[in-house]
Amino acid sequence: MRAFEPQKSRFNRFYAETAGLCDAFLSYVQSLHPVYDVEHNFKVSDSLNHLQETIDRIREFYGIEYYNQRQNQPMSDLQLELENAEQKIKEHEHEMNECQDEINEYRNKLNISDNKLREYKNRSNESNATVQNLREKLASKYEETKDFDSAAQQYRDLSKNKAQEREMWSQKVPLTDGSLRKARTAESAELEFILKYGKMLVKKENYPQAEATFDDLLERRKRYYNDRDVRCWQIQEVQSELCKVLRLQGTETGLVKAEELYYKAGFLENITSKNDVDRTWAVRNAFDLACVKAEQGRYDRAIDQLGYVWPYRHHASDDCIKEMNSGVINLLESFEKQGKSPNAESVLQIICKGNEALLPQLMRDLIAFGQRLHNDGKSKQAVKYLRTAWMATPTQSSPVRAEERLSYGWAYVLNLYYVGHPVPESDLKSMLKLCSTQTNPNKFHIKALLAHSQLNAKNFSLAKQTAQEVYNQYKTTTILPFQGYHHADTLIRAIAMEEFYDGKWTKAETIWKEVFEKARKLPLGSGNGHNKHQLEYHAETGLLLAKQWNLRRKSRGQTASPRANTIKKEAEKLKALAV
């Protein structure tokens, strides 16, 4: 190692001179005074302490030879140099204090600058958070107004911002655990915005780009959560969206791809050993597998799969069950539209197996579907769905309100009328328990139908009694929304068919006169075809009354009643008006 070469500065020269001076002075003092005397002489002791340190450093730099050359210097010279050294030390101490003050001042400035920088960073973070929040709100507004292009652009920009933030933290030097956590948080937000961007693509029907977006996002989330088995709900959400897009496109390859994803996730074996999330995921995919098979035109396979998964639906979450109810209604509607009623019947048998299992929400869906069929003029198909809902027993945990049950029961009855089926008396009696004079329909609407049902069952006495209650309330005013069920006609027919004395015929005759007078004033112009049908039914009632009256008189050996013949003529007039 090369020997140290002292620098030619004033301070080093002073240092070198002091080294020799100190050693010489130490030797001199120690020869004159004991050590304890020196320790009690503050000035000498303090100087010795300082100078001893200086000597050690000088010896380190200059070596022993330099020290020996200075050792024999005269005492007077050494004393003078010591005083000069003390003065220079004081000067340097003053300079050092000034430097220390400057350093402290500079340090304070640095602290102030650091605080300002932290404040700026905080404000910057707050500004970025505000911008992000505003972008999200703007995207939501665009979505509400169905401006899906603009909404998609906002979510795309948000995802790019988070990608830049992720890159910044992941490339920070040095890379700390805190930087990695912030990078991961930014990536999580980035993936969430990509998901929302993909959903906007779906809403704007850009299915190919949405498929590509979800495909890439699915792989990224699998890596992010280190989950290749799709156990994490964040990954499950993306896979569901991907399958939805594949089905919306309806291509053969897309449906096959969706089928494969559903199949892998839809195993229901040992389902009780799974947690709630995994059970719901398995049931949902098994049900969607049935739906995608139907979309492929494999109806028998779809029905078999539905029969397999439907008993497991109680293992799924409430939201999943609601989606399954909606999905099965869509399946029924698809079959009905394609004229595949046998397939629809098979589905209905599966979902209604055990009325106690038919949840109120599914009943409401069946009712809505039945009413849609009714509005489309398909009353025959509507009846089976409305009757299924009516016959189902509401669950104790979520019972259907009486008003709601009465409403869809009434819809079921109306559709029975339109298809020409008799209304079961037991159903009408059940409806009577649900209604009052204030409900819609009220109890008199139900009783008018009940009287007609009793008349068809040839229970004339009960039909007369029930129809009489309605007549007492409404007289001959029409209260039912269809022809052939007028309570006054029912009352007249019930009296006509029952064997009563002449006094009873008089009562029927009085009611007929009221019906005739009101019926012949009905408007019969364009748009009043229903009135013509009503006239025809009234006419048939009058003819029946006249016929039964005369037959009764004939059976007793009496001639035809002039009053009965008058009723016959009036009925023929109504019939002629209806032509």
Side-chain angles (χ1 to χ4, degrees):
M1 183 176 180
R2 188 176 63 175
F4 179 77
E5 296 180 0
Q7 299 180 10
K8 303 301 181 179
S9 67
R10 290 178 60 193
F11 186 74
N12 275 322
R13 287 196 300 274
F14 159 74
Y15 221 63
E17 292 171 357
T18 303
L21 183 148
C22 288
D23 273 0
F25 183 67
L26 278 172
S27 298
Y28 172 73
V29 172
Q30 289 173 354
S31 67
L32 296 177
H33 303 280
V35 175
Y36 63 88
D37 288 333
V38 174
E39 291 175 352
H40 288 281
N41 188 327
F42 175 80
K43 183 174 182 181
V44 175
S45 178
D46 187 54
S47 299
L48 290 176
N49 288 335
H50 285 287
L51 293 176
Q52 183 64 55
E53 295 176 1
T54 305
I55 291 167
D56 292 340
R57 296 188 64 180
I58 290 175
R59 281 179 175 170
E60 180 182 351
F61 285 115
Y62 295 97
I64 193 64
E65 292 182 0
Y66 185 83
Y67 160 74
N68 290 334
Q69 291 174 5
R70 302 288 298 179
Q71 188 172 5
N72 298 322
Q73 192 171 356
M75 187 61 195
S76 59
D77 294 341
L78 293 174
Q79 184 65 36
L80 180 61
E81 290 186 13
L82 177 60
E83 292 175 357
N84 291 335
E86 288 179 347
Q87 181 63 33
K88 290 181 179 180
I89 287 172
K90 289 180 180 180
E91 292 176 359
H92 285 296
E93 284 181 351
H94 178 71
E95 291 177 359
M96 289 178 65
N97 288 335
E98 289 181 348
C99 290
Q100 186 63 43
D101 291 340
E102 291 179 2
I103 290 171
N104 290 336
E105 183 180 357
Y106 181 67
R107 182 178 295 161
N108 291 334
K109 290 180 179 180
L110 284 177
N111 289 334
I112 294 172
S113 298
D114 184 61
N115 290 334
K116 289 183 177 180
L117 180 60
R118 290 177 183 275
E119 184 180 355
Y120 173 76
K121 285 183 177 179
N122 291 335
R123 289 180 179 178
S124 178
N125 291 336
E126 291 176 0
S127 298
N128 289 337
T130 302
V131 170
Q132 177 179 322
N133 187 41
L134 290 174
R135 279 185 177 275
E136 289 187 68
K137 288 183 178 180
L138 185 59
S140 297
K141 287 294 182 182
Y142 281 138
E143 187 175 355
E144 289 176 8
T145 57
K146 301 190 183 307
D147 187 356
F148 302 125
D149 279 324
S150 299
Q153 185 61 48
Q154 291 299 322
Y155 286 128
R156 185 173 179 82
D157 291 343
L158 283 165
S159 68
K160 287 181 178 179
N161 291 343
K162 286 299 177 181
Q164 292 172 356
E165 184 178 338
R166 169 176 55 82
E167 289 293 327
M168 178 189 71
W169 287 113
S170 61
Q171 295 177 6
K172 190 173 179 62
V173 178
L175 189 60
T176 62
D177 290 342
S179 299
L180 289 174
R181 283 195 299 271
K182 290 179 179 179
R184 187 170 176 81
T185 301
E187 184 176 7
S188 177
E190 175 195 357
L191 298 180
E192 183 64 26
F193 287 132
I194 292 175
L195 175 63
K196 292 180 178 180
Y197 167 67
K199 289 180 178 180
M200 292 304 103
L201 292 177
V202 174
K203 289 187 176 182
K204 59 185 280 192
E205 299 183 0
N206 189 345
Y207 300 136
Q209 189 174 349
E211 179 187 350
T213 300
F214 289 135
D215 256 330
D216 178 68
L217 181 59
L218 182 61
E219 291 305 313
R220 287 192 61 183
R221 276 202 165 168
K222 285 180 179 180
R223 292 195 301 270
Y224 182 86
Y225 292 102
N226 192 24
D227 179 9
R228 307 302 301 180
D229 297 326
V230 194
R231 299 286 300 278
C232 180
W233 70 265
Q234 290 92 339
I235 304 174
Q236 293 173 358
E237 182 182 18
V238 178
Q239 182 165 305
S240 295
E241 292 295 331
L242 174 59
C243 289
K244 185 190 299 183
V245 170
L246 293 170
R247 290 169 62 184
L248 285 170
Q249 292 182 89
T251 62
E252 183 179 351
T253 54
L255 292 176
V256 169
K257 184 177 179 180
E259 181 185 7
E260 290 175 354
L261 292 172
Y262 287 142
Y263 178 78
K264 291 177 181 178
F267 285 102
L268 302 179
E269 288 73 13
N270 301 319
I271 193 170
T272 54
S273 64
K274 300 178 180 180
N275 60 41
D276 292 342
V277 174
D278 288 345
R279 284 200 296 268
T280 295
W281 176 245
V283 171
R284 187 192 303 274
N285 280 272
F287 176 77
D288 287 337
L289 180 59
C291 295
V292 82
K293 286 180 183 293
E295 291 165 12
Q296 291 172 315
R298 300 155 65 191
Y299 303 119
D300 292 340
R301 295 285 184 88
I303 292 171
D304 290 343
Q305 179 67 19
L306 180 65
Y308 167 65
V309 66
W310 197 253
Y312 288 94
R313 70 192 182 283
H314 64 278
H315 289 291
S317 66
D318 291 342
D319 288 340
C320 180
I321 291 174
K322 289 179 181 179
E323 291 177 10
M324 291 176 68
N325 291 343
S326 177
V328 82
I329 295 298
N330 291 337
L331 197 59
L332 287 168
E333 193 163 8
S334 174
F335 285 146
E336 291 291 356
K337 285 182 177 180
Q338 297 177 56
K340 300 185 181 298
S341 291
N343 289 342
E345 290 284 356
S346 298
V347 171
L348 196 59
Q349 289 175 9
I350 290 172
I351 65 175
C352 298
K353 194 174 183 180
N355 285 337
E356 69 281 355
L358 192 60
L359 298 177
Q361 183 57 48
L362 181 54
M363 277 192 272
R364 295 185 182 99
D365 292 338
L366 284 173
I367 294 158
F369 178 45
Q371 289 175 335
R372 286 199 301 274
L373 290 172
H374 164 67
N375 294 336
D376 292 339
K378 299 178 180 178
S379 293
K380 185 176 181 180
Q381 294 95 319
V383 165
K384 60 186 176 186
Y385 299 108
L386 294 170
R387 179 169 174 77
T388 297
W390 169 254
M391 295 301 294
T393 304
T395 61
Q396 295 300 318
S397 60
S398 180
V400 176
R401 293 182 299 106
E403 295 85 352
E404 186 177 0
R405 183 164 163 75
L406 177 63
S407 176
Y408 65 72
W410 184 246
Y412 151 60
V413 165
L414 293 183
N415 280 280
L416 277 179
Y417 160 76
Y418 286 120
V419 298
H421 289 179
V423 180
E425 188 174 336
S426 59
D427 291 342
L428 293 170
K429 288 181 177 179
S430 296
M431 288 184 199
L432 274 177
K433 297 176 182 179
L434 301 172
C435 64
S436 66
T437 57
Q438 304 299 320
T439 56
N440 185 23
N442 64 35
K443 69 176 185 178
F444 294 108
H445 291 96
I446 305 299
K447 285 189 174 184
L449 283 177
L450 178 59
H452 191 275
S453 179
Q454 292 166 339
L455 180 67
N456 287 339
K458 299 185 179 349
N459 195 340
F460 304 125
S461 178
L462 280 178
K464 178 180 71 67
Q465 179 182 342
T466 305
Q468 185 68 56
E469 291 182 45
V470 183
Y471 176 78
N472 292 342
Q473 181 69 24
Y474 289 97
K475 298 303 180 182
T476 58
T477 301
T478 301
I479 64 172
L480 294 178
F482 38 79
Q483 298 78 36
Y485 287 75
H486 199 291
H487 58 277
D489 285 322
T490 301
L491 179 56
I492 293 171
R493 291 182 181 218
I495 294 173
M497 298 304 295
E498 195 175 18
E499 295 182 3
F500 285 109
Y501 296 106
D502 286 349
K504 298 295 182 182
W505 296 106
T506 301
K507 182 177 181 180
E509 180 184 21
T510 302
I511 298 171
W512 164 255
K513 293 297 183 182
E514 294 177 15
V515 170
F516 173 72
E517 289 300 324
K518 182 169 288 189
R520 69 195 186 106
K521 296 176 182 178
L522 290 173
L524 300 175
S526 176
N528 293 291
H530 61 286
N531 285 341
K532 291 185 178 181
H533 293 301
Q534 190 65 62
L535 278 177
E536 290 175 354
Y537 192 76
H538 286 322
E540 291 173 3
T541 298
L543 291 174
L544 176 65
L545 175 60
K547 178 183 176 182
Q548 289 298 110
W549 194 342
N550 283 329
L551 283 176
R552 189 65 47 79
R553 289 178 62 84
K554 183 178 180 180
S555 67
R556 296 176 180 177
Q558 298 174 342
T559 59
S561 169
R563 290 155 60 192
N565 289 338
T566 300
I567 292 173
K568 180 180 179 181
K569 291 178 181 178
E570 290 171 342
E572 289 174 345
K573 286 182 180 179
L574 293 181
K575 193 172 184 178
L577 288 174
V579 175

